[in-house]
Amino acid sequence: MSAISRFMETHFRHFNARETLDAAKAWNDLLGRGGQMFLTMAGAMSTCELGISLAEMIRQDKVHAISCTAANLEEDLFNLFNHNEYKMVPEYRDLSPEAEKELYDAGFNRVTDTCIPEGILRQVQSRISKLWAAAAEAGTPKFPYEYMYELLDQPDIAQYFQVPAEHSWVLAAKEKGLAIFTPGFEDSTLGNIFCSEVMRGHVKSHAAYRTGTEQMELLANWYQERAKAKTPVGFFQIGGGIAADFPICVVPMLIQDLELEDTPFWAYFAQIGDSTTSYGSYSGAVPNEKITWGKLDIDTPRFMINSDASIVAPLIFAYVLGW
């Protein structure tokens, strides 16, 4: 056992620390019996550079598919292509409205302590626009992640990388051939840019992108393939919102709507969140509630970690990786 794992075994004995360690152990148990893990990401996990550890999880076959907000999908590439131009603001809690306006005037958009420069992906934006235009013209729509993979497949693209390639979880997912589901793509910088390109007439139509229900069908087929192979699939959720709620619903959809009643429930569930479990907060909904929706069974291993995902997720990944 390596240093981080040994530290967790020694010190993580109670409360959220114990829940964190138990979730990591159960992840290893799932993999040990031939299972796979489906991971979801809300928030700004790519901007907090979760890719440094998540990419290794993907490379070592600890994660087998991902659902994330389109912001997390694109921000991994923002970091890959524009990291050196980011501005850190450690004192972000003390910023006045005037200081925020100064950042805006300087061309920065702030995400907590990290300011992303405007004109992001400018080195490769024209390449993405050409991919959109070609797909719209040919009538061959693609999912959001497929455009990212097509961009990363271009032979001269590595010259624009500003962080080590091994720190990009999207690049790792491409190399492993993972599916990335991004419900609500329009709620992202690239979604906005795509809309503007259509409105300008640079892209023929909005039909360059496949729809959200097509993503659900892709996910349903992905899940059914594993169900037929008797492969248990776990669900590891970072935050809440559409990135998690969209994919977790595939199980009740298969059981109730397609009437495939022998579809297995998710075989593991863990959520990292800091929302309170009241006032209708989905992000803070306790795992037991999901039993009533036909997503989890009564004996599904369930973990609810009330903490900061930027701290907890890398620790769980480190334990699973044996670091």
Side-chain angles (χ1 to χ4, degrees):
M1 184 177 293
S2 297
I4 296 175
S5 299
R6 187 166 55 252
F7 177 88
M8 292 172 68
E9 288 275 7
T10 303
H11 297 278
F12 282 28
R13 298 189 178 194
H14 302 281
F15 314 144
N16 274 305
R18 191 267 314 153
E19 192 89 348
T20 298
L21 180 58
D22 285 352
K25 288 180 175 179
W27 189 324
N28 276 336
D29 290 343
L30 175 73
L31 298 179
R33 53 192 174 93
Q36 295 189 358
M37 187 63 79
F38 189 98
L39 182 141
T40 77
M41 284 191 293
M45 302 311 298
S46 289
T47 294
C48 85
E49 298 190 71
L50 188 66
I52 295 172
S53 55
L54 177 55
E56 188 63 18
M57 290 284 283
I58 293 169
R59 284 191 293 268
Q60 292 198 27
D61 298 315
K62 310 295 187 183
V63 171
H64 303 86
I66 292 172
S67 173
C68 64
T69 56
N72 269 310
L73 178 67
E74 67 186 9
E75 286 175 18
D76 182 78
L77 295 194
F78 293 173
N79 184 63
L80 181 63
F81 289 110
N82 294 97
H83 176 85
N84 295 346
E85 298 140 56
Y86 281 30
K87 177 181 175 65
M88 293 298 296
V89 187
E91 69 282 6
Y92 68 93
R93 292 182 178 86
D94 302 321
L95 293 180
S96 66
E98 291 75 19
E100 301 278 20
K101 184 61 162 58
E102 287 178 10
L103 287 170
Y104 171 79
D105 290 340
F108 286 100
N109 303 130
R110 185 172 69 83
V111 180
T112 311
D113 65 356
T114 307
C115 298
I116 302 175
E118 288 182 6
I120 205 77
L121 289 186
R122 67 184 176 283
Q123 308 99 315
V124 295
Q125 184 175 324
S126 63
R127 298 183 184 219
I128 295 175
S129 295
K130 288 176 183 176
L131 297 177
W132 292 336
E137 188 65 36
T140 54
K142 297 180 175 68
F143 295 116
Y145 81 95
E146 292 179 308
Y147 285 110
M148 301 304 197
Y149 286 4
E150 195 171 353
L151 173 68
L152 292 171
D153 271 335
Q154 295 183 353
D156 61 340
I157 202 70
Q159 66 180 304
Y160 300 111
F161 294 174
Q162 293 187 2
V163 297
E166 58 268 24
H167 290 181
S168 168
W169 70 263
V170 175
L171 185 57
K174 181 192 77 69
E175 291 168 351
K176 280 290 186 177
L178 268 58
I180 303 174
F181 303 90
T182 48
F185 164 73
E186 58 274 15
D187 180 22
S188 65
T189 298
L190 285 179
N192 295 166
I193 292 172
F194 172 73
C195 183
S196 72
E197 291 288 85
V198 173
M199 294 177 72
R200 290 171 184 270
H202 297 165
V203 177
K204 184 178 179 179
S205 74
H206 291 281
Y209 275 97
R210 300 183 71 171
T211 68
T213 50
E214 286 181 287
Q215 288 202 67
M216 178 57 80
E217 182 179 2
L218 178 68
L219 174 56
N221 290 333
W222 181 92
Y223 196 89
Q224 283 184 287
E225 287 173 5
R226 282 142 188 84
K228 291 174 182 175
K230 306 296 183 184
T231 300
V233 181
F235 195 97
F236 187 83
Q237 176 177 332
I238 300 174
I242 193 172
D245 203 25
F246 171 84
I248 203 169
C249 288
V250 72
V251 169
M253 188 271 281
L254 289 169
I255 295 172
Q256 299 169 18
D257 302 320
L258 274 173
E259 299 181 350
L260 299 173
E261 296 182 0
D262 59 345
T263 299
F265 294 109
W266 293 99
Y268 163 110
F269 178 83
Q271 177 179 357
I272 306 171
D274 56 9
S275 295
T276 56
T277 56
S278 58
Y279 310 113
S281 169
Y282 170 75
S283 295
V286 294
N288 283 6
E289 185 178 297
K290 293 171 173 59
I291 295 173
T292 71
W293 289 87
K295 301 167 184 176
L296 308 179
D297 208 346
I298 59 172
D299 57 355
T300 302
R302 300 183 298 277
F303 308 93
M304 181 68 221
I305 305 164
N306 293 113
S307 191
D308 185 333
S310 68
I311 298 170
V312 173
L315 284 171
I316 292 176
F317 295 167
Y319 190 92
V320 174
L321 289 165
W323 288 354

